[in-house]
Amino acid sequence: MFETVIGLEVHVQLNTDTKIFCSCPTSFGDEENKNVCPVCLGLPGALPVLNENAVKKSISFGTAINATVNQKSVFNRKNYFYPDLPKGYQISQFEVPIVENGEINIDFEDGSVKRIGVTRAHLEEDAGKNVHEEGHSNVDLNRAGTPLLEIVSEPELRSSDEAVAYLKKLHAIIRYLNIGDANMQEGSFRCDANVSIRPKGDEKLYTRVEIKNLNSFKFIQKAIDYEVQRQIEAWEDGVYEQEVVQETRLFNSDTGITRSMRGKEDSAEYRYFPDPDLLPVIIPDEMMSEYSKIPELPDEKKERFVSEFGIKEYDASVLTSSVELAKYYEDMLDNGADAKLSVTWLTTELFGRVDGGVENSPVDAKTLASLVCRIKDGTISGKAGKEVLGYLVDNQISVDDAIEKLGLKQISDDGAILKLIDEIIASNPDKVAEYKGGKEKLFGFFVGQVMKASKGSANPAKVNELLKSRIG
Ligand SMILES: [Zn+2]
């Protein structure tokens, strides 16, 4: 039996207007090499100046994950050669990062929580991009110098499910804090996974393989699962030493397999040393206290939803998994919708009909709230509610107009229902006698007949209540 050991390194692009050491814009999708200057081109004599906003956002992040924010941190040069790195080194942090010793809680479906340690988060500049074409490659340096926060977890994740849960929580924290847009397609939230296995019970860490640049939760899960399986098979076939070496591998999303890209360098090979062009970063007390004031985060919001609205832990963790979803739910309640019913109508019914979260929903929170209110007050049945919701997804119309148009209004009026009940009783005298003689399960028959006579529109709770009053 094997245990999986996973540690994650996530590169989050901070949403500053300008790059980390110069005033070039960080906008995405511009014409190649438009947003460059002598600093981010690495021209001789150009000097970097640190972007204060990158530091402020790091303080908020460190506070959010209960970490130590170092009031003094140091920028180092990480030396390596690659065409998209114009200076021949990357400015990063090494011995003294800005954030250390944090934690992120991940949630499981049974409502339990696991704490994952965050070793460190350091500031660094992004590299440019190599664009490969037929027979040659181009270099685009628009991205060179974009501020990144690299967030490194402890190797405490034990499955691809845990890895994905950790990433989703981290993603949510970034969005709640609004320190980055965390857009995975555009590369502003990128993940490298360090994966190894060991016999269960073994404390030692075995050779880890790094899988680079995973940019969707689905691919991360698949890449880890593939890699774990590869390592277990190598172990069982007695070729672990030969097949599993310290290296960087790439995941191919078309074939679903990882392949070797290059041997992984040890940090010594990067010849880190403090950047002589940059002073140590000293954060003043006032800046520390100002940027450690942060908004309500997913974990706190989750606890509040549980205690204030009485919903289940896991439902609360789903609802708080994105800042937009949490707001949508709260807007529903502000519009008078029942807290528990809203969970189902939002997470099961609406999400069953709409892809891409509430951001893409054609039905807004106020409209869904009014649907939930009409179900709660008995105007329509839950079953009719599903039909109404389907209609609302396709049509811009109010809930009441949709109910009217679809003819789904429930009959809750006592007089109308009693009239139907009396007709059913009158036309089934033998059944009534049997029921009164003790055949109690016939009650269901009467309910069914009344519902049928109303063409399904009678309020079932009312039918039950009034039937009892008539036949006991
Ligand atoms: Zn620049």
Side-chain angles (χ1 to χ4, degrees):
M1 279 298 284
F2 292 94
E3 179 172 62
T4 304
V5 179
I6 304 164
L8 297 174
E9 294 169 13
V10 179
H11 287 89
V12 172
Q13 184 181 322
L14 299 174
N15 56 355
T16 54
D17 294 335
T18 55
K19 293 185 181 179
I20 185 167
F21 298 117
C22 64
S23 53
C24 294
T26 50
S27 47
F28 178 83
D30 287 337
E31 185 196 332
E32 294 85 350
N33 296 308
K34 182 169 169 267
N35 305 324
V36 293
C37 73
V39 174
C40 54
L41 287 174
L43 300 186
L47 290 174
V49 177
L50 178 60
N51 184 335
E52 194 174 300
N53 286 328
V55 174
K56 291 172 177 171
K57 287 170 194 286
S58 304
I59 298 171
S60 300
F61 178 74
T63 309
I65 62 161
N66 283 323
T68 305
V69 176
N70 290 322
Q71 271 185 274
K72 178 181 173 183
S73 63
V74 175
F75 280 106
N76 290 64
R77 291 185 180 182
K78 178 181 181 181
N79 297 280
Y80 66 94
F81 292 99
Y82 207 62
D84 62 11
L85 190 71
K87 295 190 295 292
Y89 62 86
Q90 177 191 28
I91 304 176
S92 183
Q93 296 188 310
F94 190 55
E95 285 103 345
V96 198
I98 191 162
V99 171
E100 280 181 294
N101 299 326
E103 60 183 13
I104 286 176
N105 292 320
I106 58 175
D107 308 283
F108 298 103
E109 279 210 36
D110 64 2
S112 63
V113 168
K114 180 176 173 182
R115 174 199 175 278
I116 304 297
V118 175
T119 320
R120 56 189 273 141
H122 61 255
L123 279 168
E124 62 183 26
E125 58 178 347
D126 206 349
K129 222 186 258 177
N130 293 326
V131 186
H132 304 293
E133 286 176 13
E134 192 69 41
H136 70 285
S137 294
N138 300 320
V139 179
D140 177 8
L141 293 174
N142 279 350
R143 207 181 62 185
T146 296
L148 297 179
L149 193 61
E150 179 175 338
I151 301 150
V152 182
S153 85
E154 290 289 314
E156 292 174 346
L157 298 153
R158 292 289 169 267
S159 67
S160 59
D161 285 339
E162 289 190 12
V164 170
Y166 168 89
L167 289 167
K168 287 188 170 168
K169 184 51 103 32
L170 176 58
H171 190 270
I173 292 170
I174 303 296
R175 300 281 302 120
Y176 270 69
L177 294 171
N178 192 23
I179 59 172
D181 65 17
N183 184 324
M184 296 180 93
Q185 277 81 43
E186 292 181 2
S188 49
F189 187 94
R190 315 195 285 270
C191 171
D192 303 337
N194 289 302
V195 180
S196 64
I197 57 162
R198 64 184 173 197
K200 245 198 164 98
D202 212 334
E203 290 292 313
K204 163 182 165 201
L205 291 172
Y206 286 78
T207 307
R208 65 188 165 98
V209 164
E210 182 185 47
I211 316 171
K212 259 206 140 23
N213 276 338
L214 298 161
N215 68 351
S216 89
F217 294 129
K218 199 174 91 191
F219 292 161
I220 289 160
Q221 181 129 34
K222 282 188 169 174
I224 292 173
D225 288 342
Y226 174 83
E227 186 55 30
V228 168
Q229 202 49 43
R230 187 184 75 86
Q231 294 185 16
I232 289 175
E233 278 169 23
W235 188 298
E236 287 173 341
D237 295 346
V239 291
Y240 179 80
E241 304 285 327
Q242 296 91 306
E243 301 274 328
V244 181
V245 294
Q246 187 173 320
E247 65 179 352
T248 299
R249 296 177 73 89
L250 281 183
F251 177 67
N252 182 326
S253 56
D254 295 328
T255 59
I257 67 173
T258 64
R259 62 175 174 77
S260 181
M261 181 170 93
R262 58 164 190 253
K264 168 80 181 163
E265 298 86 350
D266 277 319
S267 64
E269 291 172 53
Y270 287 119
R271 294 168 293 121
Y272 280 98
F273 62 87
D275 192 316
D277 288 342
L278 287 157
L279 291 167
V281 184
I282 310 286
I283 303 173
D285 291 342
E286 315 82 74
M287 191 189 281
M288 278 293 273
S289 63
E290 188 179 348
Y291 289 90
S292 50
K293 289 187 198 95
I294 51 174
E296 187 181 44
L297 293 170
D299 288 345
E300 303 159 46
K301 208 183 262 291
K302 179 182 119 183
E303 291 314 315
R304 182 167 64 80
F305 279 12
V306 170
S307 62
E308 220 173 291
F309 309 137
I311 61 175
K312 290 196 202 108
E313 290 264 348
Y314 184 73
D315 288 336
S317 71
V318 170
L319 291 170
T320 53
S321 63
S322 93
V323 67
E324 293 83 4
L325 178 56
K327 183 174 184 309
Y328 190 103
Y329 178 69
E330 288 191 282
D331 285 349
M332 284 181 74
L333 304 200
D334 287 344
N335 280 285
D338 175 81
K340 287 179 188 166
L341 265 184
S342 293
V343 174
T344 314
W345 283 89
L346 176 51
T347 63
T348 307
E349 299 302 336
L350 184 68
F351 284 0
R353 290 167 175 80
V354 172
D355 286 331
V358 290
E359 300 93 303
N360 291 329
S361 171
V363 180
D364 62 19
K366 201 177 161 196
T367 307
L368 190 58
S370 96
L371 176 63
V372 170
C373 291
R374 289 293 165 268
I375 294 160
K376 179 85 178 173
D377 70 15
T379 306
I380 55 169
S381 66
K383 188 165 164 257
K386 294 181 187 186
E387 202 177 318
V388 173
L389 182 56
Y391 193 77
L392 291 169
V393 168
D394 297 325
N395 299 278
Q396 286 292 325
I397 186 172
S398 78
V399 170
D400 288 335
D401 288 349
I403 292 170
E404 195 65 49
K405 196 167 169 111
L406 298 170
L408 291 170
K409 205 163 185 166
Q410 276 192 139
I411 304 170
S412 296
D413 170 57
D414 286 11
I417 294 175
L418 278 173
K419 188 163 168 279
L420 293 173
I421 288 174
D422 290 340
E423 282 167 19
I424 299 298
I425 289 174
S427 53
N428 294 282
D430 46 341
K431 290 251 176 13
V432 175
E434 278 181 61
Y435 176 76
K436 288 190 170 159
K439 207 170 169 191
E440 283 181 15
K441 63 180 181 188
L442 274 173
F443 192 79
F445 163 81
F446 293 115
V447 173
Q449 290 298 305
V450 176
M451 292 303 293
K452 198 173 158 193
S454 77
K455 297 192 182 69
S457 64
N459 179 336
K462 277 272 177 205
V463 171
N464 271 280
E465 179 196 321
L466 294 170
L467 246 180
K468 271 188 195 125
S469 75
R470 272 294 197 266
I471 58 174

